[in-house]
Amino acid sequence: MHGGSLVRTVRLVSGLILMAFVTCHLANLAIGMQSLAEMEAWREVLTAPWTRSKPVFFLLATAALVHATLGLYAIASRRSLALSTTDVVQLVLGLFTPPLLIAHVIALYMSIRVSPGFADSYGQIQAVYWSFAPSYAFLQLFVVVVVWMHAAIGLYSWLVLKPVWRRIGGFVLPVLFAVPILALLGFAQSGQEVLNRLAADPAWRAAILENVGNIAKATRELGNLQSNAILTWAGLVAVAFGILAARILRARMMPVQVDYDGGIRAMGRHGLSVLEISLLNDVPHAHVCSGRGRCGTCRVRVEAGAPSLSAIDEQERSTLERVGAAGGERLACQARVLGAGVAVTRLLPAFADATAAQAPDEWSAGAAKETA
Amino acid sequence: MVRRRREGNGVNEQSMAEWSAVVLATAKARFVALGADLAQAPTEAQRAYESVYAALMTGTGVRAATYIAILLFVGIAVEWLYWMYAYSPLRAAMAMPMLTPAAALRVGLRRLFLSLSGLLLFTAAAIGVSAAFAWPPHVHELIIAATLLLLVLRLSWISVSVIIAPGRPRLRLRLVPVAQPQARWLAAALMAALALLALGRFLPPVLQDGVAQASHVASALRFIAYSLAMLILFVSAFAFFGGRDVRADVPRAPLFPRSFPLALLVAAVYAVWLMNDRAAAVAAIAAVVIALQIGLRPIVYFYWREDDGALPAIVLSLSRFVVALVGIGAAAVALDTPLATLAEDVGPWVRVGLRLLGVAVLALLAHGVWIAIRSVVDQRLKRIGPIDPHEPPDASSRLLTLLPLLRVTAAVMLLVMLVLCALWALGIEITPLLAGAGVLGIALGFGAQALVRDVIAGIFFLADDAFRVGEYIEGSGNTKGTVERITLRSVALRHHNGPLHFVPYGALGSVRNTSRDWVIDKFNLPLPIEVESETIRKMLKKIGEDMKADPVLGPMTMEPLKGKLYRIDPGVKIFRCKFRCPPGKQFDLRAGALKRIEAALKKMDVQFADGRQTILLQNPA
Ligand code: FES
């Protein structure tokens, strides 16, 4: 398997693992709509296994690390800023995720260390959020929105290209939004319960207060840890963007040119993919998967200058095969212009949507009819 | 739209003076209050921040935030679902080749519709769901304000991105004549101004009434936001509208730069706002309306070239009308007053202004109708083209007399109606006027009955194309002759004996036109009984072919001469001949035919049948 496609697969898999964990976590919260006790009970099933068993926890941590690293890698290895709105949202949310999660995880970890037994109870954590340190609760809410939107966009743009989406789409999308909504409702419901109990049960309140006092002593250390982690992340992000900027600036000196059907001509930088050149020049060009090489809607027939395009890699070959492309056709998002210039014909109309990836035959037939 | 005044003029003047004094006094008070607000805002802001923070950092605050997150998810989910279906049409619209601005306009409307629907769904979902929750005190208002703020911001962005389309110049999506480097800045400036205005509109009430109770901060914030927005608009007026027409290919005489009136409008609105809030809304709307009226002409001619005929003129005046109407509606909404009671409970200046506005709308409406009529008439006149005085006049000459008359009539009628309506809108009694005009009209109407009948009958003759100059017609009542002249009321017919009849159209009745398309001419040929009919038939046919081949007669022949035995009388065989030709040519053709027949008969040594009859008298003896 070629490097680019391996990276993508690993990123996808790690993302899916993380999403599974987050889903379990949110599902557990959603049970709070029933009662706090139920929530505690289900915790054994839904959340605890992820942290208790060493290998699973290791897998989870690796997935998080790998996913973040590969995200930065993806930024650094971009060749241009030709991004769709969805991609921009996804990217920004992704950049926000690690610092928020770091804060969350470190806070929990410290609490456990300072007063063991504390984090074992949803009730206690909820009490902190709802009564003793609500600022953490705001952070949590923010994390839920950011992380879940990032995950939802990722999952959607992966699944929507698959033929199976036609059958499961109507079911997956509502679930995708029901999960956080129910979780938040559960959060609010159990929070109310905790507040009631705090008022009714002074002993419980005193116990929590003691724990909170312990944690408060460690606040400083906690803050240091958090800000260190966040600064590190910011540095890494800056490095990734710096590499991107350097690449763009360097390539700027070598202009290339692409001729399209319909007599359109566009200029671009050396090393950009044909699709990126289209997008940077406002040439209408279908790109359902945003240039991930999965959908096949961006494919073009190369009319001239085929040798100046980058070689076909494994991912491109398999996508081309799946959509039944003829010889001489390339994925515009994968074929990078390395020579002076090429001439291409866009094969799908610019408004091709996800159905073109799910059922390529229907669209190719239509496109063929149009050209004939 | 404006109720009739009840008070007399004197009262009005006095109240106007009073009202002006009150306005000045309130303005002064406002300035003083504003100064106090600005001075106290910083300390109050500190306090307000603390109290808001304290309110937020409780279970209640967390609950509110949780609900907000839920609203966000619900809104996003609904809009996401919507875009799953709407995204492809949007991209399809944007991928269409935009060859003309008119095509871009169509695409722009489609984009607007698609984006607005998504926005509407988001807002409706968020606000609808928000009603389901039990909110802590003050929070629901906050949520609604935030959602509205979001709505206005997104609405502004949608409008700006559809109309100015700052990015992607190659797609030619732009709907207004703005050059590319300017477009980005103009879009940014507009967005900034709109965002500030929205902020100044939605945030202060929340600050004032919510947990913060910070009225000074609220009004200071409003002042700063509005002032900044106005500053941006003021500067933009000079930055973006000082230049020349974008269409450099059309050389133009230098015009008064549009930047001055625009900047003036901004300044005026700001000044009004400093004095009075409610008036400011109306002033702002009026300013937008005026600015649009200034800008409409170049925008309309951006879509249609000036030689596109009547269309741009009609569109221009229609859009002027629509802009004015929408402006009035918006003003009514801004004043929070039903239109019917508007005249009662606002100051006299506003009332006068509203009445003038009503008159302006009427004028615009009349102008639109006038443009439509005029352009139709002009179009017709242009199609007829100028009349050559040396050519004999034809049907179009009548049209040429009629059309300008029609135009003037329409103009006068419109003007009269406009004046009457305007008087009415200004609150002046017009009933006596109408009554007087009615009596006069009836008197005139009786007298002019015949005239009107003639003119209208004439229009219908014209529409039916019943006759043209030079045609021979017969009307009912023994009027016949060649049409010599067509006037508004009558037609002049030259009888074949010379007299000229002037027949009013009303008296023309059913018209028999003998000069249309073709005529069939028939004549009899009596020959002695001995001749062989077949020989004669062939001879006649031969003559017909000869005539067809003749350089003079040939072109006149539509169906050549033919003849056949028609009747046998005692001693006579009568042959009937016929041919078809254009009207008026039958005499020449018949003469030619007879000449040839005569020669041919002579050659065949056949005499015409003589009238002599042999009477055999039998003697009884
Ligand atoms: S954009 Fe999807 S394969 Fe190229």
Side-chain angles (χ1 to χ4, degrees), chain A residues 275 286-298 319 331-333:
Chain A
L275 179 70
H287 58 291
V288 172
C289 71
S290 308
R292 291 184 178 83
R294 293 199 205 121
C295 67
T297 52
C298 64
T319 304
L331 293 182
C333 62

Side-chain angles (χ1 to χ4, degrees), chain B residues 474-486:
Chain B
E474 292 170 30
S476 59
N478 212 17
T479 48
K480 55 176 117 176
T482 312
V483 177
E484 267 202 7
R485 208 151 11 110
I486 294 174

Side-chain angles (χ1 to χ4, degrees), chain B residues 573-618:
Chain B
K573 269 185 178 163
I574 295 178
F575 290 81
R576 167 153 283 203
C577 309
K578 73 166 185 183
F579 58 86
R580 196 156 71 98
C581 68
K585 304 292 183 212
Q586 64 266 45
F587 308 106
D588 299 345
L589 267 182
R590 198 196 301 172
L594 286 176
K595 201 171 97 193
R596 277 157 211 254
I597 290 171
E598 196 180 8
L601 285 178
K602 192 167 240 165
K603 211 190 271 168
M604 288 164 66
D605 201 17
V606 177
Q607 302 271 316
F608 280 105
D610 49 14
R612 277 174 295 171
Q613 285 204 348
T614 313
I615 301 173
L616 293 177
L617 291 176
Q618 205 150 31

Side-chain angles (χ1 to χ4, degrees), chain A residues 128-193:
Chain A
V128 172
Y129 285 161
W130 286 84
S131 174
F132 300 105
S135 62
Y136 285 108
F138 286 97
L139 199 68
Q140 288 325 296
L141 291 171
F142 197 51
V143 170
V144 168
V145 174
V146 167
V147 169
W148 192 260
M149 284 317 299
H150 178 82
I153 294 176
L155 188 77
Y156 172 82
S157 42
W158 171 59
L159 272 185
V160 77
L161 304 176
K162 305 216 162 283
V164 69
W165 179 258
R166 293 195 159 182
R167 271 177 284 127
I168 63 168
F171 158 77
V172 167
L173 204 66
V175 168
L176 215 49
F177 281 95
V179 168
I181 291 174
L182 291 177
L184 289 173
L185 283 173
F187 179 67
Q189 187 63 36
S190 56
Q192 200 56 45
E193 209 179 320

Side-chain angles (χ1 to χ4, degrees), chain A residues 129-130 134-135 137-138 141 144-145 148-149 152-153 156 173 177 180-181 184-185 187-188 192 195 264-266 281-287 350-351 353, chain B residues 53 56-63 65-67 69-70 72-74 76-77 80-81 84 87-89 91-96 133 167-171:
Chain A
Y129 285 161
W130 286 84
S135 62
F138 286 97
L141 291 171
V144 168
V145 174
W148 192 260
M149 284 317 299
I153 294 176
Y156 172 82
L173 204 66
F177 281 95
I181 291 174
L184 289 173
L185 283 173
F187 179 67
Q192 200 56 45
L195 285 179
I264 305 172
R265 167 170 293 186
N281 286 281
D282 302 336
V283 177
H285 202 143
H287 58 291
F351 51 85
D353 55 14
Chain B
Y53 188 81
L56 268 182
M57 292 303 153
T58 59
T60 323
V62 175
R63 189 150 57 96
T66 313
Y67 288 165
I70 293 176
L72 204 62
F73 272 120
V74 171
I76 293 175
W80 187 321
L81 204 64
M84 248 172 69
Y87 192 56
S88 304
R91 298 231 353 219
M94 308 238 304
M96 282 201 286
F133 293 130
R168 315 230 208 151
R170 292 253 298 232
L171 290 187

